[in-house]
Amino acid sequence: MNREIKRISEMEAIFDEVTAAQDSLERAIDDYKSLQDKVRRLEDYYSGDQWKEDFAMDERGEIPADIKRGVLSEDGIYDLLERNSEIMRMIETGED
């Protein structure tokens, strides 16, 4: 009987752990999906003239050095947008 109790307790711990991970993942997916309007704003910014103007200003040293400017990194914003596409594909198709 002790063996059965131990087994049931171990399986219950696994059950609880997986349930918590599933709940966390579902919340994270919902949160990520809710960011897609903001991602589209980034895409519009990056593909439009405003990003080019801001990038040129930065190149000329017209943006204060203490301003965070990762969005002006060509590779950074491109990689973020590509990664977003991959993540959304994974969410929508279940493929990685």
Side-chain angles (χ1 to χ4, degrees):
M1 178 88 152
N2 282 342
R3 203 173 336 147
E4 293 83 8
I5 300 290
K6 181 179 179 188
R7 182 178 56 246
I8 291 168
S9 294
E10 288 175 3
M11 293 303 111
E12 187 66 21
I14 293 170
F15 180 88
D16 290 345
E17 183 179 2
V18 172
T19 298
Q22 289 172 334
D23 292 345
S24 177
L25 181 58
E26 285 176 344
R27 280 191 304 275
I29 288 171
D30 288 344
D31 291 347
Y32 197 80
K33 285 180 174 180
S34 73
L35 291 171
Q36 293 312 295
D37 286 340
K38 291 181 178 182
V39 171
R40 280 186 282 286
R41 286 181 60 197
L42 270 176
E43 285 177 313
D44 291 345
Y45 172 68
Y46 182 60
S47 64
D49 292 335
Q50 191 63 61
W51 183 87
K52 293 175 185 106
E53 292 173 22
D54 292 347
F55 181 81
M57 285 178 59
D58 189 41
E59 290 287 300
R60 293 190 302 266
E62 297 172 2
I63 297 177
D66 62 339
I67 298 293
K68 190 170 186 262
R69 57 167 73 44
V71 75
L72 297 179
S73 161
E74 289 180 86
D75 291 340
I77 196 166
Y78 176 84
D79 291 347
L80 178 142
L81 295 172
E82 285 298 308
R83 187 173 177 200
N84 180 73
S85 294
E86 292 170 13
I87 291 170
M88 289 306 296
R89 187 185 80 252
M90 286 175 11
I91 290 171
E92 292 166 359
T93 66
E95 299 173 6
D96 56 354

